[in-house]
Amino acid sequence: MASRARVRAPELIGEGGWLNTGNKDLTLSDLRGRIVVLDFWTFCCVNCLHVLDELRELEERHRDTVVIIGVHSPKFVHEAEHQAVVDAVERYGVEHPVLDDPELATWKQYAVRAWPTLVVIDPEGYVVAQHAGEGHAHAIEALIEELEAEHEAKGTLRRGDGPYVPPEPVATDLRFPGKAVRLPDGGFLVSDTTRHQLVELAADGERVLRRIGSGERGLTPDSFNEPQGLALLPDGRVAVADTVNHAIRVFDPATGALTTVAGTGKQWWQGSPTSGPAREVALSSPWDLAWWQDRLWIAMAGVHQLWTYDPATGTVEVAAGTTNEGLVDGPAAEAWFAQPSGLAAAGDRLWIADSETSAVRWAEPAEDGDGYVVRTAVGTGLFDFGHRDGAADQALLQHPLGVTALPDGSVAVADTYNHALRRYDPASGEVTTLATDLREPSAAVLVDDDIVVVESARHRLTRLRLPEEAVRVESVAHRTQRAATAVAPGALRLEVVFQAPAGQKLDTRYGPSTRLLVSATPPELLAGGAGAGTDLARDLVLADGVTEGVLHVSAMAASCDDAPDIEYPACHVHQQDWGVPVEVAEGGAARLGLVLAGLDAE
């Protein structure tokens, strides 16, 4: 067996304590003899949610040798609240121990730079691998099988039940509902996300009329997998964003029939088709839906894009976004989004809740009639958020998940992590607060002069009278709390570390198998080195006079099985986006290493 670099794993510490352990604190010595996989995640991050799903099967197959530990490392202020982490663990069906680390103590000890990051610790307590981003489950499982054999032979592997203790279930009619739509008869259809069902409620928003779906995860005529967005179609049926199934379903309230109209059930990866017959093209975490411009628009949170489904032709295609994560306006094909999670059609505008940039944006037809353009109403980028009213160019939101068009042309915003309902008025250019003390509102539905809010973390719909005057709140502004990396002025060597998993090699059959895209906020931070390329190492030049900023790095590598006797080798795509806060100072580092897969030797 090839020798493997080993570093002693730092202890697991977090002020928030442990979840899913029956109130027991865990230490690495408690886990000695087991293979430990640390999953550094935060619940706002759709890529982290993808990894939770990737790990489920691995977790089940190696339950007697592997312990997965979620290390919750917050980006937003709200995510540092302990109860919010408790809610997220239940909401997303996390069935392993979770360490709540609001101060990023363990994150810093392991030198993590991105969500999600996976770290593998061997049965003797040494770090043997680190992987950033998605698509690593196959490589990690191969490493686990290698470690099982190695430590079984050495006598250092300990089999048995893990430390996971499930929480007590709570009885409520809804459990972390995601979105809602008003039906023609005045009732509501709600996506009961955590229970993998739809629930039809009476007009009072409380009485349950029926449940749709078995309640078990699946892609069958009687099952969903964490459904979210809903949209009423012109024929009276309801389109459903079946998020973790990566599919669009259609439910007929009259007959109860459920059909799949788009998606393969598999997640879209770079290089996959971006248009074609809807049942033959993969999707990625569709989060919300809206009927606009004679098509169903899809907020494709998993790849930071908007797609459309045309029922007349049975096809899907990308409508806006490049798959790069950030906030860039302009022609639809050049725009950048960051987990678009809410849509609302209003005349010539499609309003968008762009959650990771804490922004409200819109799409509209281009003036020359050629496609669409994307513009931003509120929000500045990935790292600024808070609760501040006033002029839209300085107002702040915190991870909004829903938008609702109001009769006067303004838009209500489900400002999720601020527990508030906000309003943006295009006529005045002002942002105000309509209501506070809402627990993680994720959507809202207009009903006459009232607005019905989906209070996701209170497991209910809440009816509010639209106030004539806005609520006034004290302004708060935040920046992401990750420490900046000190870098030296001038030349900076960027190296993305990628080591193909055992038994695999880079796939070069159709050209370069790696991709690197680099940009900065502000753009003036980089005097040289920005742009796209195929080499995972690049020499950057930091501009004189710019002392701080954020380097945005997106990397992708494709590897395939290397055995000569395999006629059709299986291939795997590894990809990750980093936003690295930097401060330019004498004595800072001249090299920035980011681990995509493997261990950084420097």
Side-chain angles (χ1 to χ4, degrees):
M1 183 172 297
S3 61
R4 188 185 302 112
R6 301 200 305 172
V7 177
R8 176 65 71 179
E11 191 53 81
L12 306 177
I13 53 175
E15 287 191 3
W18 289 88
L19 306 177
N20 286 351
T21 62
N23 297 318
K24 174 182 169 64
D25 290 344
L26 298 181
T27 66
L28 285 177
S29 62
D30 296 331
L31 303 172
R32 196 61 50 81
R34 310 297 291 271
I35 300 164
V36 178
V37 179
L38 302 182
D39 176 16
F40 289 86
W41 69 299
T42 189
F43 63 78
C44 72
C45 161
V46 72
N47 310 90
C48 300
L49 304 185
H50 290 166
V51 168
L52 284 176
D53 296 318
E54 289 177 7
L55 293 176
R56 291 185 203 280
E57 290 185 13
L58 182 152
E59 193 169 16
E60 183 59 37
R61 284 195 293 268
H62 299 272
R63 188 168 293 280
D64 67 333
T65 60
V66 173
V67 175
I68 294 177
I69 302 287
V71 182
H72 189 268
S73 313
K75 171 186 174 182
F76 289 98
V77 169
H78 169 60
E79 293 174 305
E81 297 176 14
H82 181 69
Q83 185 58 47
V85 180
V86 172
D87 288 345
V89 167
E90 180 187 352
R91 180 195 300 269
Y92 297 115
V94 179
E95 295 185 352
H96 51 247
V98 173
L99 175 63
D100 181 10
D101 182 18
E103 302 297 325
L104 301 180
T106 296
W107 164 288
K108 294 170 185 174
Q109 286 293 308
Y110 281 82
V112 175
R113 293 185 181 274
W115 299 277
T117 290
L118 298 169
V119 175
V120 182
I121 302 172
D122 73 13
E124 295 178 292
Y126 290 90
V127 173
V128 292
Q130 182 171 323
H131 301 263
E134 305 177 48
H136 300 294
H138 177 271
I140 289 175
E141 183 159 32
L143 175 58
I144 285 170
E145 291 171 352
E146 187 178 317
L147 290 170
E148 286 173 339
E150 176 184 346
H151 288 275
E152 189 91 79
K154 291 173 64 175
T156 50
L157 184 70
R158 177 167 57 90
R159 296 181 180 270
D161 293 334
Y164 170 66
V165 178
E168 290 293 323
V170 181
T172 54
D173 288 333
L174 301 173
R175 205 70 193 160
F176 298 103
K179 306 287 185 181
V181 68
R182 196 181 188 198
L183 297 173
D185 64 4
F188 299 91
L189 193 65
V190 183
S191 53
D192 197 18
T193 304
T194 297
R195 292 201 176 120
H196 317 296
Q197 292 180 316
L198 307 182
V199 176
E200 185 177 350
L201 300 177
D204 62 6
E206 296 182 5
R207 183 163 54 92
V208 175
L209 300 180
R210 62 172 161 169
R211 294 182 176 276
I212 299 98
S214 66
E216 300 294 327
R217 294 179 185 269
L219 184 58
T220 74
D222 190 38
S223 63
F224 299 95
N225 197 343
E226 297 184 24
Q228 286 281 350
L230 305 168
L232 192 65
L233 299 176
D235 62 6
R237 297 184 300 161
V238 178
V240 183
D242 197 359
T243 303
V244 179
N245 275 330
H246 309 293
I248 305 300
R249 320 290 291 280
V250 170
F251 170 67
D252 188 340
T255 66
L258 178 65
T259 56
T260 302
V261 298
T264 64
K266 302 295 184 183
Q267 184 182 340
W268 186 94
W269 288 101
Q270 289 286 352
S272 301
T274 56
S275 64
R279 291 299 310 277
E280 299 175 16
V281 177
L283 309 180
S284 182
S285 294
W287 209 274
D288 202 13
L289 306 169
W291 184 261
W292 186 61
Q293 301 272 314
D294 297 322
R295 283 171 171 75
L296 184 70
W297 287 68
I298 306 166
M300 203 72 76
V303 286
H304 318 299
Q305 291 180 311
L306 304 182
W307 289 41
T308 60
Y309 165 66
D310 184 352
T313 60
T315 57
V316 293
E317 63 180 358
V318 173
T322 64
T323 76
N324 297 116
E325 184 178 15
L327 194 156
V328 176
D329 289 342
E334 301 171 15
W336 290 24
F337 297 94
Q339 288 177 215
S341 301
L343 299 175
D348 288 338
R349 286 188 176 183
L350 179 69
W351 292 104
I352 305 154
D354 203 26
S355 62
E356 277 292 286
T357 53
S358 297
V360 172
R361 308 174 72 184
W362 79 88
E364 63 185 4
E367 291 183 3
D368 61 7
D370 184 15
Y372 298 89
V373 293
V374 176
R375 307 190 192 283
T376 297
V378 185
T380 60
L382 288 163
F383 301 98
D384 293 290
F385 53 90
H387 192 152
R388 186 162 66 198
D389 288 336
D393 62 358
Q394 56 85 51
L396 294 173
L397 309 168
Q398 187 179 179
H399 199 79
L401 290 179
V403 280
T404 306
L406 300 179
D408 63 358
S410 66
V411 57
V413 183
D415 192 5
T416 309
Y417 288 3
N418 279 328
H419 310 300
L421 188 68
R422 311 285 292 282
R423 173 177 176 263
Y424 166 66
D425 183 0
S428 67
E430 294 285 315
V431 174
T432 53
T433 298
L434 298 177
T436 57
D437 193 30
L438 298 166
R439 189 68 186 170
E440 291 193 15
S442 55
V445 181
L446 194 65
V447 180
D448 302 322
D449 293 330
D450 295 343
I451 192 163
V452 175
V453 179
V454 180
E455 269 199 278
S456 188
R458 283 200 178 114
H459 321 293
R460 70 188 189 192
L461 303 188
T462 299
R463 194 176 186 113
L464 303 173
R465 176 71 63 177
L466 280 172
E468 293 184 7
E469 293 186 6
V471 175
R472 295 191 180 277
V473 298
E474 185 177 349
S475 294
V476 178
H478 301 290
R479 295 212 86 205
T480 183
Q481 60 178 313
R482 284 178 294 161
T485 298
V487 294
L492 176 65
R493 178 68 171 175
L494 171 66
E495 294 182 356
V496 174
V497 177
F498 178 76
Q499 298 161 3
Q504 294 185 25
K505 65 178 180 179
L506 288 173
D507 177 22
T508 57
R509 291 171 298 167
Y510 307 108
S513 60
T514 55
R515 185 189 71 166
L516 182 66
L517 178 68
V518 180
S519 62
T521 302
E524 295 78 21
L525 175 65
L526 285 178
T534 57
D535 192 339
L536 291 181
R538 188 177 300 177
D539 291 315
L540 308 181
V541 179
L542 302 176
D544 292 336
V546 183
T547 59
E548 63 179 7
V550 177
L551 290 175
H552 304 283
V553 180
S554 178
M556 185 272 287
S559 61
C560 294
D561 291 341
D562 193 23
D565 57 335
I566 299 178
E567 184 176 0
Y568 300 105
C571 296
H572 307 272
V573 177
H574 317 263
Q575 61 186 48
Q576 174 61 20
D577 296 328
W578 290 268
V580 183
V582 296
E583 57 183 9
V584 182
E586 294 294 340
R591 174 187 178 273
L592 177 61
L594 301 175
V595 177
L596 179 60
L599 292 173
D600 190 357
E602 296 190 31

